[in-house]
Amino acid sequence: MKTLKIFRGFDLNVPEEPDLSCVPLALPTSLGCCAADIPHIRPKLLIKEGWRVKTGQSLFTDKRDTSIQYVSPGTGRVEKVVYGHRRRLMEVVIATEPEDEYVEYDPVTLAGIVGMPRDALVTNLKNGGLWQGLRQFPALDVADPDHSPAMIIVAMDGNDLFSPHPAIILKGNIAAFEAGMAVLRRFSHQLAVVCRESRLKGIREIGSSVADQITHTAPDIYPAWQPGAVLYQIKQQAAENSSWCIRLDHLVMMGRFLLSGRYPVDKIVTITRPGDRRPHMRVRQGMPLSSVAGQIPVQSIATTGRFNGRILEKDAHIGFFENTVNIIEAGPGEEMFSFVRPGLDKPTLSSTFLSSLFRRPAKMDCTLHGEARACINCSYCERICPNGLMPSFIMKALHAQELEEALALGLMDCCKCGLCSFACPSKIELTQILSDAMDAYYKDK
């Protein structure tokens, strides 16, 4: 087992870490299958409002590859289809029935996974709505089954500071984990299983068979454990730039689906909010935000990542790729004599506040604490970037329409962690600028 040496990032002390207990939530009256959290998708509806659907039945597909299915997390009638800007599909909402009626597939044993033809394995996972859990660098689009990746990175932890603990996801799912790992070995001989150092002990308590397959540990400095940051640290040849990655919860879902022949409908999510330490929750896929988060204070926001998630509307549902919800309250607004306040509880990258000298819990809010202005070449974004990039220089190259220069500066190595936007004193949305450029380049290419 190797330890990754990642020194750049942000070691943020926030007190809302979820409790290690886990509570189940009842089936809600509605579930949603979201398209808003799926990068690059061009969705095509396969159902209409009023239709009755089974659990695991296809609701929409991707026009770029119609064999990839996005399926219903419950049984019931399609209550409504929600569209966004320019009629972009956001989600399909299903009014649930108390009993599930599943779309059934033939179960496969662990030995059967090893001996199954590769094409048949891909077809099973696509039809079951789980192939999209495998993502391909650098754009993190759905993995191309015709491509043989040099490496597959298994992220035991999610993208957020407080993503579900891997030991809770693995509890009762060791066989599914082994089945998922057997699937990955059919596509690549090099697997990099990465875990945060602080969570390794809990995994060992669940089962040594899982802990023995962990190849790398990452420090608890955000985002050292993210696949994009890990790939940048361990890649040794150009072929590894198009590696694949998968999150632990999606790996377990793959294993459960193949072993049982049914779409796995539950997932573990965490909810964080100021002044409240909540347990992990076992919920249905597509759970409504209101059922897991409760009442959200006025002017607060709910986001699926503290630095890089999407903002959820009050009536939204949690997507396939989302397992964390952060309730971030609005700040105090105008502060009297803010320039002379010590700021003992304010997060800071520089030495602006005294919190940089003391290890005290920081209070996070969703205000900008200033207005947007021109870049001042402070190099804070460069200092915090885990992949050693210079986001401000990449931004300037993009503004000058010098795409080749932006690529030479490492545009496609950006892991979209969101720290450059967080650290920027000029309030420039660097992460959004780089992400949009990466997506545009990928689509053109």
Side-chain angles (χ1 to χ4, degrees):
M1 187 183 302
K2 299 179 181 179
T3 300
L4 298 177
K5 303 296 184 181
I6 301 178
F7 302 104
R8 294 183 179 183
F10 199 22
D11 187 11
L12 183 63
N13 184 15
V14 181
E16 294 99 44
E17 183 174 2
D19 193 275
L20 291 182
S21 59
C22 184
V23 297
L25 296 189
L27 179 68
T29 56
S30 72
L31 295 171
C33 185
C34 299
D37 69 315
I38 306 171
H40 310 294
I41 187 175
R42 294 177 58 200
K44 177 183 178 181
L45 271 177
L46 302 176
I47 48 81
K48 295 181 180 180
E49 291 185 2
W51 286 18
R52 184 178 182 274
V53 295
K54 299 179 181 180
T55 303
Q57 181 177 334
S58 299
L59 300 179
F60 57 89
T61 184
D62 193 335
K63 292 180 181 178
R64 303 171 305 161
D65 183 354
T66 55
S67 62
I68 298 175
Q69 308 298 317
Y70 294 85
V71 303
S72 172
T75 299
R77 296 201 174 274
V78 178
E79 184 176 10
K80 60 180 177 179
V81 178
V82 181
Y83 293 96
H85 182 60
R86 293 186 177 178
R87 289 190 59 80
R88 182 182 187 274
L89 179 65
M90 301 300 290
E91 59 183 24
V92 178
V93 181
I94 300 159
T96 56
E97 297 176 3
E99 297 294 330
D100 282 295
E101 184 179 351
Y102 287 89
V103 175
E104 301 282 354
Y105 297 89
D106 293 331
V108 183
T109 64
L110 183 60
I113 294 173
V114 176
M116 182 183 295
R118 173 173 165 150
D119 290 344
L121 183 59
V122 172
T123 300
N124 274 11
L125 292 173
K126 283 185 174 181
N127 291 338
L130 291 167
W131 176 258
Q132 54 267 31
L134 278 165
R135 316 302 293 184
Q136 183 169 335
F137 290 103
L140 291 182
D141 200 355
V142 179
D144 180 5
D146 296 328
H147 168 69
S148 296
M151 175 171 55
I152 301 178
I153 298 174
V154 181
M156 301 295 282
D157 302 274
N159 290 335
D160 194 67
L161 286 168
F162 299 138
S163 295
H165 197 293
I168 297 177
I169 297 175
L170 287 166
K171 190 173 183 180
N173 288 313
I174 301 297
F177 173 80
E178 296 291 349
M181 293 295 288
V183 170
L184 299 188
R185 293 189 185 98
R186 297 296 310 279
F187 298 101
S188 178
H189 297 294
Q190 183 180 356
L191 303 183
V193 185
V194 186
C195 174
R196 292 169 62 175
E197 291 177 343
S198 62
R199 298 188 169 186
L200 186 59
K201 180 181 178 182
I203 295 176
R204 284 178 173 150
E205 292 174 354
I206 290 294
S208 59
S209 61
V210 177
D212 291 343
Q213 298 188 61
I214 295 175
T215 61
H216 297 80
T217 59
D220 286 322
I221 301 175
Y222 177 83
W225 57 87
Q226 282 192 9
V230 172
L231 177 64
Y232 186 81
Q233 297 295 324
I234 65 177
K235 64 182 180 180
Q236 298 180 346
Q237 52 184 331
E240 293 174 347
N241 284 324
S242 57
S243 296
W244 295 0
C245 68
I246 187 171
R247 238 172 39 199
L248 173 65
D249 52 347
H250 293 148
L251 180 72
V252 168
M253 287 177 68
M254 277 187 180
R256 289 174 59 191
F257 167 72
L258 291 172
L259 294 176
S260 67
R262 289 181 171 184
Y263 181 75
V265 295
D266 61 317
K267 70 190 299 183
I268 303 294
V269 301
T270 54
I271 308 294
T272 64
R273 61 192 312 157
D276 190 5
R277 192 179 184 197
R278 295 194 168 195
H280 288 62
M281 299 178 185
R282 185 177 297 276
V283 305
R284 272 296 183 112
Q285 294 278 344
M287 197 80 167
L289 173 64
S290 57
S291 297
V292 295
Q295 187 67 29
I296 299 176
V298 179
Q299 295 185 338
S300 298
I301 63 171
T303 175
T304 57
R306 193 166 292 265
F307 295 105
N308 61 353
R310 71 176 177 121
I311 297 177
L312 299 175
E313 300 294 335
K314 298 289 195 299
D315 57 349
H317 296 74
I318 299 175
F320 178 79
F321 292 98
E322 299 164 342
N323 59 7
T324 304
V325 175
N326 295 286
I327 309 299
I328 306 177
E329 293 184 349
E334 295 284 339
E335 287 186 273
M336 185 72 72
F337 301 115
S338 60
F339 56 92
V340 295
R341 290 175 179 249
L344 291 172
D345 58 358
K346 290 186 177 181
T348 180
L349 174 65
S350 64
S351 301
T352 305
F353 302 117
L354 285 180
S355 60
S356 61
L357 303 177
F358 303 98
R359 184 66 175 171
R360 294 184 58 174
K363 291 182 180 180
M364 302 285 288
D365 58 55
C366 56
T367 58
L368 285 176
H369 296 283
E371 66 281 345
R373 49 192 179 272
C375 175
I376 59 174
N377 295 323
C378 62
S379 77
Y380 286 146
C381 57
E382 179 183 348
R383 189 186 309 176
I384 203 172
C385 179
N387 290 356
L389 306 181
M390 296 182 290
S392 62
F393 284 83
I394 297 175
M395 174 199 68
K396 292 172 184 178
L398 293 171
H399 285 337
Q401 299 184 351
E402 295 288 348
L403 179 59
E404 294 300 328
E405 183 177 350
L407 292 171
L409 289 169
L411 171 64
M412 301 307 288
D413 281 326
C414 174
C415 64
K416 304 180 182 182
C417 65
L419 285 182
C420 52
S421 294
F422 174 78
C424 181
S426 293
K427 318 302 176 186
I428 300 173
E429 292 291 345
L430 290 165
T431 304
Q432 189 66 49
I433 293 171
L434 268 61
S435 295
D436 290 346
M438 292 174 70
D439 293 344
Y441 175 72
Y442 174 69
K443 290 176 183 177
D444 289 343
K445 188 177 179 180

